[in-house]
Amino acid sequence: MLGSCARALHTTYDTALLDLDGVVYAGGEAVGHAVESLARARAAGMRLAYVTNNAARTPLTVADHLTRLGVPAEAGEVVTSAQAVARMIAEDVGVGARVLCVGGEGLRVALAERGLAVVESADDAPDVVVQGYGGPELPWGRLAEAALAVGRGARWYASNTDLTIPSGRGIAPGNGAAVEVVRIATRWMREAPEPRVAGKPLPPMHRESILRTGAERPLVVGDRLDTDIEGAVNGGVDSLLVLTGVTDGAQLLAAPPGRRPTYVAEDLRGLLEAHGAATESDGGWRCGGWLARVADGELELSGGGERVEALRALCAAAWSAADTAPGVRGGVPCSEKALARVGL
Protein backbone atom coordinates (compact mmCIF):
# COMPACT_ATOMS: atom_id res chain seq x y z
CA MET A 1 0.00 0.00 0.00
CA LEU A 2 0.98 3.63 -0.37
CA GLY A 3 2.46 5.06 2.81
CA SER A 4 1.08 7.86 4.93
CA CYS A 5 2.84 10.86 6.42
CA ALA A 6 1.11 13.11 8.94
CA ARG A 7 3.56 15.95 8.29
CA ALA A 8 4.51 17.50 4.97
CA LEU A 9 7.20 15.49 3.24
CA HIS A 10 9.65 18.40 3.09
CA THR A 11 9.68 18.53 6.89
CA THR A 12 9.92 14.75 7.31
CA TYR A 13 12.87 13.99 5.02
CA ASP A 14 16.18 15.86 5.05
CA THR A 15 17.06 15.54 1.35
CA ALA A 16 15.04 15.22 -1.85
CA LEU A 17 16.86 13.18 -4.51
CA LEU A 18 15.08 14.57 -7.56
CA ASP A 19 15.00 13.18 -11.05
CA LEU A 20 15.08 15.95 -13.65
CA ASP A 21 13.27 15.25 -16.92
CA GLY A 22 9.54 14.90 -16.25
CA VAL A 23 9.92 16.06 -12.64
CA VAL A 24 11.66 19.44 -12.62
CA TYR A 25 11.57 20.22 -16.33
CA ALA A 26 10.15 18.84 -19.56
CA GLY A 27 11.36 19.74 -23.01
CA GLY A 28 13.82 22.14 -21.41
CA GLU A 29 11.14 24.18 -19.60
CA ALA A 30 10.14 24.03 -15.95
CA VAL A 31 7.25 21.73 -15.07
CA GLY A 32 4.22 23.49 -13.61
CA HIS A 33 4.55 24.26 -9.87
CA ALA A 34 8.13 22.95 -9.79
CA VAL A 35 9.96 26.24 -9.26
CA GLU A 36 7.82 27.52 -6.39
CA SER A 37 7.53 24.10 -4.71
CA LEU A 38 11.28 23.54 -4.67
CA ALA A 39 11.88 27.09 -3.42
CA ARG A 40 9.50 26.52 -0.50
CA ALA A 41 11.04 23.15 0.34
CA ARG A 42 14.55 24.62 0.32
CA ALA A 43 13.50 27.62 2.40
CA ALA A 44 12.10 25.25 5.04
CA GLY A 45 15.46 23.49 5.32
CA MET A 46 15.16 20.55 2.93
CA ARG A 47 18.28 19.90 0.88
CA LEU A 48 17.78 19.37 -2.84
CA ALA A 49 19.88 17.15 -5.07
CA TYR A 50 19.28 16.47 -8.76
CA VAL A 51 19.97 12.88 -9.77
CA THR A 52 20.04 12.01 -13.46
CA ASN A 53 20.87 8.98 -15.57
CA ASN A 54 21.86 11.28 -18.44
CA ALA A 55 25.67 11.20 -18.59
CA ALA A 56 26.06 13.69 -21.44
CA ARG A 57 26.14 16.97 -19.51
CA THR A 58 28.47 18.02 -16.72
CA PRO A 59 27.00 18.88 -13.31
CA LEU A 60 27.89 22.53 -13.91
CA THR A 61 25.95 22.59 -17.18
CA VAL A 62 22.93 21.00 -15.50
CA ALA A 63 23.11 23.44 -12.57
CA ASP A 64 23.30 26.42 -14.94
CA HIS A 65 20.22 25.13 -16.78
CA LEU A 66 18.28 24.75 -13.54
CA THR A 67 19.29 28.22 -12.39
CA ARG A 68 18.05 29.72 -15.66
CA LEU A 69 14.71 28.01 -15.10
CA GLY A 70 14.41 29.66 -11.69
CA VAL A 71 15.67 26.74 -9.61
CA PRO A 72 18.99 27.97 -8.15
CA ALA A 73 21.46 25.09 -8.14
CA GLU A 74 25.18 24.49 -7.79
CA ALA A 75 27.25 21.82 -9.52
CA GLY A 76 27.71 20.03 -6.19
CA GLU A 77 23.96 19.45 -6.00
CA VAL A 78 23.88 17.49 -9.27
CA VAL A 79 24.60 13.75 -9.32
CA THR A 80 24.97 11.98 -12.68
CA SER A 81 25.36 8.39 -13.79
CA ALA A 82 28.70 9.48 -15.29
CA GLN A 83 29.99 10.19 -11.78
CA ALA A 84 28.66 6.87 -10.52
CA VAL A 85 30.28 4.81 -13.27
CA ALA A 86 33.57 6.71 -12.96
CA ARG A 87 33.70 5.82 -9.26
CA MET A 88 32.97 2.17 -10.10
CA ILE A 89 35.83 2.04 -12.60
CA ALA A 90 38.31 3.72 -10.27
CA GLU A 91 37.41 1.32 -7.47
CA ASP A 92 37.41 -1.79 -9.68
CA VAL A 93 40.40 -1.13 -11.92
CA GLY A 94 42.33 1.59 -10.14
CA VAL A 95 43.35 5.20 -10.61
CA GLY A 96 45.31 5.68 -13.83
CA ALA A 97 43.45 2.98 -15.74
CA ARG A 98 43.19 3.59 -19.48
CA VAL A 99 39.55 4.14 -20.45
CA LEU A 100 38.07 4.24 -23.92
CA CYS A 101 35.22 6.71 -23.46
CA VAL A 102 32.19 6.48 -25.73
CA GLY A 103 30.03 9.39 -24.61
CA GLY A 104 29.78 13.12 -24.08
CA GLU A 105 31.58 15.78 -22.09
CA GLY A 106 29.86 14.85 -18.84
CA LEU A 107 31.37 11.36 -18.95
CA ARG A 108 34.84 12.58 -19.92
CA VAL A 109 34.91 15.12 -17.08
CA ALA A 110 33.75 12.52 -14.54
CA LEU A 111 36.48 10.08 -15.62
CA ALA A 112 39.17 12.75 -15.38
CA GLU A 113 38.00 13.73 -11.89
CA ARG A 114 38.60 10.14 -10.78
CA GLY A 115 42.14 10.10 -12.15
CA LEU A 116 41.34 7.86 -15.10
CA ALA A 117 43.20 8.26 -18.41
CA VAL A 118 40.86 8.72 -21.38
CA VAL A 119 42.03 7.17 -24.66
CA GLU A 120 40.45 7.38 -28.10
CA SER A 121 41.05 4.07 -29.85
CA ALA A 122 40.95 0.35 -29.32
CA ASP A 123 44.55 0.42 -30.53
CA ASP A 124 45.52 2.44 -27.41
CA ALA A 125 45.20 -0.76 -25.33
CA PRO A 126 42.42 0.45 -23.03
CA ASP A 127 41.80 -1.42 -19.81
CA VAL A 128 38.16 -0.36 -19.85
CA VAL A 129 35.42 0.65 -22.27
CA VAL A 130 32.70 2.88 -20.85
CA GLN A 131 29.55 4.00 -22.64
CA GLY A 132 27.41 6.99 -21.70
CA TYR A 133 24.82 8.97 -23.62
CA GLY A 134 26.65 11.14 -26.13
CA GLY A 135 23.74 12.87 -27.84
CA PRO A 136 22.42 12.38 -31.37
CA GLU A 137 25.79 13.36 -32.86
CA LEU A 138 27.64 10.32 -31.46
CA PRO A 139 29.66 8.94 -34.42
CA TRP A 140 29.10 5.33 -35.43
CA GLY A 141 32.86 4.89 -35.40
CA ARG A 142 32.92 5.33 -31.62
CA LEU A 143 30.70 2.27 -31.26
CA ALA A 144 33.04 0.36 -33.56
CA GLU A 145 36.00 1.28 -31.34
CA ALA A 146 34.06 0.14 -28.28
CA ALA A 147 33.19 -3.21 -29.86
CA LEU A 148 36.78 -3.77 -30.98
CA ALA A 149 38.15 -3.01 -27.52
CA VAL A 150 35.62 -5.25 -25.74
CA GLY A 151 36.41 -7.97 -28.26
CA ARG A 152 40.09 -7.67 -27.32
CA GLY A 153 39.34 -8.15 -23.64
CA ALA A 154 38.75 -4.66 -22.21
CA ARG A 155 36.37 -4.52 -19.26
CA TRP A 156 33.00 -3.06 -20.22
CA TYR A 157 30.97 -0.49 -18.29
CA ALA A 158 27.90 1.63 -18.99
CA SER A 159 26.60 4.70 -17.20
CA ASN A 160 23.05 3.43 -17.70
CA THR A 161 21.03 1.27 -20.04
CA ASP A 162 17.90 3.38 -20.64
CA LEU A 163 16.83 2.35 -24.14
CA THR A 164 15.11 5.68 -24.84
CA ILE A 165 15.45 9.32 -23.89
CA PRO A 166 12.83 12.08 -24.28
CA SER A 167 13.57 14.88 -26.72
CA GLY A 168 11.75 17.97 -27.91
CA ARG A 169 10.65 16.00 -30.99
CA GLY A 170 9.59 12.80 -29.23
CA ILE A 171 11.25 9.66 -27.91
CA ALA A 172 14.80 9.06 -29.17
CA PRO A 173 17.31 6.22 -28.68
CA GLY A 174 19.10 6.38 -25.34
CA ASN A 175 22.40 5.01 -24.12
CA GLY A 176 20.92 1.55 -23.75
CA ALA A 177 20.40 1.42 -27.51
CA ALA A 178 24.10 2.17 -28.04
CA VAL A 179 25.01 -0.51 -25.50
CA GLU A 180 22.91 -2.99 -27.49
CA VAL A 181 24.94 -2.20 -30.63
CA VAL A 182 28.16 -3.21 -28.85
CA ARG A 183 26.48 -6.29 -27.38
CA ILE A 184 25.37 -7.43 -30.85
CA ALA A 185 28.83 -6.75 -32.30
CA THR A 186 30.52 -8.93 -29.64
CA ARG A 187 28.23 -11.95 -29.84
CA TRP A 188 30.98 -13.85 -31.64
CA MET A 189 32.93 -14.09 -28.38
CA ARG A 190 32.92 -17.48 -26.65
CA GLU A 191 31.71 -15.91 -23.41
CA ALA A 192 29.39 -13.07 -24.36
CA PRO A 193 30.32 -10.05 -22.24
CA GLU A 194 27.90 -7.93 -20.24
CA PRO A 195 28.62 -4.39 -19.08
CA ARG A 196 28.70 -3.35 -15.44
CA VAL A 197 26.03 -0.67 -15.13
CA ALA A 198 25.92 2.21 -12.65
CA GLY A 199 22.74 4.16 -13.29
CA LYS A 200 19.24 3.96 -11.86
CA PRO A 201 17.69 1.64 -10.77
CA LEU A 202 20.92 -0.11 -9.74
CA PRO A 203 22.59 0.42 -6.36
CA PRO A 204 25.74 2.27 -7.55
CA MET A 205 23.69 5.33 -8.51
CA HIS A 206 21.91 5.45 -5.16
CA ARG A 207 25.23 4.99 -3.38
CA GLU A 208 26.75 7.87 -5.34
CA SER A 209 23.80 10.09 -4.42
CA ILE A 210 24.13 9.33 -0.71
CA LEU A 211 27.91 9.76 -0.70
CA ARG A 212 27.68 13.13 -2.43
CA THR A 213 24.76 14.52 -0.42
CA GLY A 214 25.32 12.98 3.00
CA ALA A 215 21.56 12.41 3.19
CA GLU A 216 20.36 10.61 6.32
CA ARG A 217 16.61 10.59 5.54
CA PRO A 218 16.44 10.81 1.74
CA LEU A 219 13.28 10.87 -0.36
CA VAL A 220 13.61 9.83 -3.99
CA VAL A 221 11.34 11.91 -6.25
CA GLY A 222 10.73 10.72 -9.80
CA ASP A 223 8.32 10.11 -12.63
CA ARG A 224 9.47 6.67 -13.80
CA LEU A 225 8.62 3.39 -12.09
CA ASP A 226 11.43 1.41 -13.75
CA THR A 227 14.29 3.75 -12.80
CA ASP A 228 13.37 6.22 -10.04
CA ILE A 229 10.97 4.14 -7.98
CA GLU A 230 12.68 0.78 -8.51
CA GLY A 231 15.97 2.47 -7.62
CA ALA A 232 14.46 3.74 -4.36
CA VAL A 233 13.15 0.26 -3.53
CA ASN A 234 16.58 -1.22 -4.27
CA GLY A 235 18.16 1.42 -2.03
CA GLY A 236 15.71 0.78 0.81
CA VAL A 237 14.44 4.38 0.93
CA ASP A 238 11.05 6.06 0.49
CA SER A 239 9.90 7.59 -2.78
CA LEU A 240 7.42 10.06 -4.24
CA LEU A 241 6.03 9.50 -7.74
CA VAL A 242 4.83 12.63 -9.54
CA LEU A 243 2.47 12.38 -12.51
CA THR A 244 4.16 15.09 -14.60
CA GLY A 245 6.30 12.68 -16.62
CA VAL A 246 6.02 9.30 -18.30
CA THR A 247 4.00 7.27 -15.76
CA ASP A 248 0.23 7.42 -16.05
CA GLY A 249 -2.49 6.13 -13.76
CA ALA A 250 -2.88 2.75 -15.46
CA GLN A 251 0.85 2.03 -15.27
CA LEU A 252 0.91 2.96 -11.59
CA LEU A 253 -2.01 0.67 -10.75
CA ALA A 254 -0.28 -2.20 -12.59
CA ALA A 255 3.07 -1.67 -10.80
CA PRO A 256 4.64 -4.82 -9.31
CA PRO A 257 5.81 -4.65 -5.68
CA GLY A 258 9.37 -3.66 -6.60
CA ARG A 259 8.15 -0.58 -8.46
CA ARG A 260 5.54 0.84 -6.09
CA PRO A 261 6.18 4.31 -4.65
CA THR A 262 5.69 5.23 -1.02
CA TYR A 263 3.72 8.34 -2.00
CA VAL A 264 2.06 9.69 -5.13
CA ALA A 265 1.23 13.28 -6.10
CA GLU A 266 0.09 15.25 -9.11
CA ASP A 267 3.31 17.31 -9.17
CA LEU A 268 6.04 18.66 -6.89
CA ARG A 269 3.47 20.36 -4.67
CA GLY A 270 3.27 16.89 -3.15
CA LEU A 271 6.56 17.63 -1.40
CA LEU A 272 4.79 20.30 0.64
CA GLU A 273 1.82 18.16 1.69
CA ALA A 274 0.95 15.53 4.24
CA HIS A 275 -0.15 12.25 2.67
CA GLY A 276 -3.15 10.41 3.99
CA ALA A 277 -3.37 6.63 3.91
CA ALA A 278 -6.03 4.55 2.23
CA THR A 279 -7.83 2.39 4.78
CA GLU A 280 -9.93 -0.73 4.34
CA SER A 281 -13.62 0.10 4.49
CA ASP A 282 -16.93 -1.23 3.19
CA GLY A 283 -15.32 -4.02 1.18
CA GLY A 284 -12.81 -1.71 -0.46
CA TRP A 285 -10.29 1.01 0.25
CA ARG A 286 -11.14 4.56 1.25
CA CYS A 287 -9.02 7.71 0.96
CA GLY A 288 -10.59 11.09 1.61
CA GLY A 289 -14.08 11.00 0.14
CA TRP A 290 -13.34 8.19 -2.32
CA LEU A 291 -14.01 4.47 -2.08
CA ALA A 292 -12.29 2.02 -4.47
CA ARG A 293 -13.12 -1.66 -4.67
CA VAL A 294 -12.63 -4.57 -7.07
CA ALA A 295 -15.70 -6.34 -8.45
CA ASP A 296 -15.53 -9.06 -11.11
CA GLY A 297 -11.94 -8.17 -11.95
CA GLU A 298 -12.66 -4.48 -12.48
CA LEU A 299 -11.90 -1.48 -10.30
CA GLU A 300 -14.91 0.55 -9.20
CA LEU A 301 -14.66 4.08 -7.82
CA SER A 302 -17.35 5.98 -5.93
CA GLY A 303 -17.54 9.14 -3.89
CA GLY A 304 -15.77 12.44 -4.53
CA GLY A 305 -12.91 14.68 -3.49
CA GLU A 306 -9.39 15.41 -4.63
CA ARG A 307 -8.17 13.48 -7.66
CA VAL A 308 -4.94 12.32 -6.02
CA GLU A 309 -6.94 10.83 -3.13
CA ALA A 310 -8.92 8.82 -5.67
CA LEU A 311 -5.67 7.54 -7.11
CA ARG A 312 -4.39 6.54 -3.66
CA ALA A 313 -7.59 4.58 -3.00
CA LEU A 314 -7.34 2.92 -6.41
CA CYS A 315 -3.71 1.94 -5.79
CA ALA A 316 -4.66 0.30 -2.51
CA ALA A 317 -7.49 -1.65 -4.13
CA ALA A 318 -5.53 -2.65 -7.24
CA TRP A 319 -2.35 -3.68 -5.43
CA SER A 320 -4.26 -5.60 -2.77
CA ALA A 321 -6.16 -7.50 -5.44
CA ALA A 322 -3.00 -8.20 -7.47
CA ASP A 323 -1.14 -9.49 -4.43
CA THR A 324 -3.93 -11.66 -3.04
CA ALA A 325 -5.60 -12.92 -6.24
CA PRO A 326 -2.92 -13.00 -8.95
CA GLY A 327 -5.09 -15.07 -11.26
CA VAL A 328 -7.50 -12.19 -11.88
CA ARG A 329 -6.78 -10.63 -15.29
CA GLY A 330 -3.11 -11.49 -14.93
CA GLY A 331 -3.10 -10.01 -11.45
CA VAL A 332 -4.12 -6.46 -12.43
CA PRO A 333 -7.78 -5.40 -12.16
CA CYS A 334 -9.19 -3.52 -15.16
CA SER A 335 -8.99 0.20 -14.34
CA GLU A 336 -10.03 2.18 -17.43
CA LYS A 337 -13.48 3.25 -16.23
CA ALA A 338 -12.33 4.15 -12.73
CA LEU A 339 -9.42 6.24 -14.00
CA ALA A 340 -11.57 7.95 -16.62
CA ARG A 341 -13.90 9.13 -13.89
CA VAL A 342 -11.12 11.31 -12.43
CA GLY A 343 -9.46 12.20 -15.72
CA LEU A 344 -6.43 9.94 -15.38
Side-chain angles (χ1 to χ4, degrees):
M1 299 304 107
L2 288 169
S4 63
C5 189
R7 296 189 301 156
L9 299 184
H10 74 296
T11 64
T12 302
Y13 299 90
D14 67 351
T15 307
L17 303 177
L18 296 131
D19 184 50
L20 287 172
D21 208 335
V23 176
V24 180
Y25 55 66
E29 300 299 324
V31 167
H33 307 290
V35 172
E36 55 268 36
S37 297
L38 293 175
R40 287 181 58 189
R42 185 192 291 273
M46 186 180 222
R47 288 179 292 168
L48 307 179
Y50 304 95
V51 183
T52 176
N53 260 3
N54 191 327
R57 298 190 294 173
T58 66
L60 180 59
T61 301
V62 174
D64 288 345
H65 179 201
L66 289 168
T67 300
R68 289 195 302 272
L69 294 179
V71 182
E74 299 178 357
E77 296 173 312
V78 178
V79 184
T80 73
S81 62
Q83 294 170 320
V85 77
R87 186 187 295 271
M88 284 178 64
I89 294 169
E91 291 178 348
D92 290 352
V93 188
V95 173
R98 298 166 66 81
V99 181
L100 176 60
C101 173
V102 182
E105 181 186 10
L107 183 55
R108 289 176 175 271
V109 168
L111 294 170
E113 288 177 346
R114 287 288 165 193
L116 300 164
V118 175
V119 300
E120 299 300 327
S121 168
D123 297 334
D124 294 326
D127 304 296
V128 170
V129 171
V130 61
Q131 291 183 256
Y133 183 67
E137 295 80 21
L138 180 69
W140 186 260
R142 301 303 298 161
L143 298 178
E145 293 298 323
L148 288 168
V150 171
R152 295 174 185 177
R155 299 171 73 165
W156 187 19
Y157 290 76
S159 64
N160 67 297
T161 51
D162 298 8
L163 290 173
T164 61
I165 189 168
S167 75
R169 299 172 59 200
I171 301 299
N175 189 55
V179 169
E180 287 301 312
V181 171
V182 175
R183 179 179 283 113
I184 291 168
T186 54
R187 280 181 180 169
W188 59 268
M189 298 176 68
R190 178 170 297 178
E191 294 186 7
E194 285 292 327
R196 289 202 65 196
V197 183
K200 297 182 283 187
L202 298 174
M205 188 66 171
H206 182 70
R207 175 177 178 243
E208 188 73 19
S209 301
I210 299 302
L211 287 173
R212 287 182 176 272
T213 63
E216 296 181 357
R217 300 187 313 281
L219 178 70
V220 170
V221 184
D223 70 310
R224 297 183 68 109
L225 299 174
D226 59 345
T227 54
D228 305 315
I229 305 308
E230 185 175 339
V233 172
N234 289 340
V237 300
D238 290 345
S239 61
L240 168 66
L241 179 81
V242 292
L243 301 177
T244 49
V246 301
T247 300
D248 60 22
Q251 292 168 333
L252 176 61
L253 297 183
R259 294 182 176 180
R260 293 174 185 170
T262 314
Y263 312 104
V264 63
E266 298 264 11
D267 50 55
L268 283 176
R269 288 176 294 181
L271 273 178
L272 311 174
E273 301 169 352
H275 288 248
T279 57
E280 273 193 280
S281 174
D282 300 321
W285 292 85
R286 188 177 297 279
C287 187
W290 296 99
L291 177 67
R293 58 162 62 97
V294 177
D296 298 323
E298 184 167 340
L299 278 169
E300 295 181 349
L301 182 66
S302 58
E306 295 185 10
R307 185 167 75 158
V308 73
E309 291 179 331
L311 187 56
R312 290 168 185 162
L314 288 167
C315 283
W319 296 346
S320 176
D323 293 347
T324 58
V328 178
R329 292 182 181 265
V332 180
C334 184
S335 60
E336 287 86 348
K337 291 181 180 178
L339 288 170
R341 179 170 179 189
V342 288
L344 288 167

